[in-house]
Amino acid sequence: MDMQSSLLDRLFDAGLLIDTGVEGLYGRGGAFEDVIARFERMIDAYGGGDGAEAMRFPPGMNRAHFETSGYMKSFPQLAGTVHSFCGGDLDHMSLLQCMEVGSDWTQEQKATDIVLTPAACYPLYPTIARRGPLPAGGGLYDLQSYCFRHEPSNDPARQQLFRMREYVCMGTQEHVTNFRQSWMDRGLEMMDKVGLDVAIDVANDPFFGRAGRMLANNQRDQNLKFELLIPVTSAAKPTACMSFNYHQDAFGAKWGLTLEDGSVAHTACVGFGLERIALALFSRHGMEIAEWPQAVREALGYPG
Ligand code: ATP
Ligand code: ZN
């Protein structure tokens, strides 16, 4: 059995994840959720003093905003749309007939105004743009959302619906790149506290197709994306558990985000893959939280 399915089986057996019959779509047991809640409190302890504005969006977003974002240009393979039945009585009868004979009943489903959120920060940019120019000193936002990506896998660290906690910073180039650097330092410190081995490396997004390869190379050459890597199913191929992205003024220009002086805002975001961090902890310290090293339990606030 490969390392990925064996970790997944151990998580199922321990009741930490719950099988749904679909790869990458899992229920979470109470102990698993508790680890995520505790890790988020640790994030709050590090970031809470920065004065970020907290916002929580649901896991679906405005389809028009999604279209403006350009997601379908870069990542069409990952997107998920929400479709619904919009017909009348006759359509309903033929739908039920399709289901009865096992043919494709989803053919006639129509697109709604909602698509599944691909990253926690996507609903933020149009929201902030609507407010007008950013205040002096820029903007800082605290987000968390379930995100959807169509990438079925038996690797428990590659889920189709998972949570991202994010901080997004808007301001001058210097301001947002300092923000990104400070979270790289904090990320290393936090993972050290919970006993995880980490490395930070330059990375790229999984841009689609041949044109995408150029975009990915460009992103790497310009150091626009870094990932914090932690072993989950493999020490040789560690998993990205945090990412640190500098968008230059691309999102600012796209959404019309401006600074007080009218110039286009630069933006950066820092994302924690919450399931991946919990999985890294279970993989490293074992399925029994009671047996985790005392220092790790203390860092996460488990009772002595
Ligand atoms: P990868 O290269 O592993 O696919 P990514 O580049 O797609 O990761 P981002 O788009 O930067 O990741 O997403 C932010 C964070 O969300 C990642 O650092 C990771 O921790 C988490 N994440 C991304 N995709 C998944 C997934 N399929 N399942 C669980 N967590 C994920
Ligand atoms: Zn990915």
Side-chain angles (χ1 to χ4, degrees), residues 149 151 157-160 162 164 204-206 225 227 240-243 245 271-273 276:
R149 294 187 184 177
E151 44 186 2
R158 189 165 297 287
Q159 305 193 358
Q160 298 200 66
F162 58 93
M164 229 183 258
N204 62 267
D205 287 313
K225 184 182 185 82
E227 286 177 341
C241 293
M242 286 184 74
S243 70
N245 306 285
F272 291 83
R276 285 185 177 179

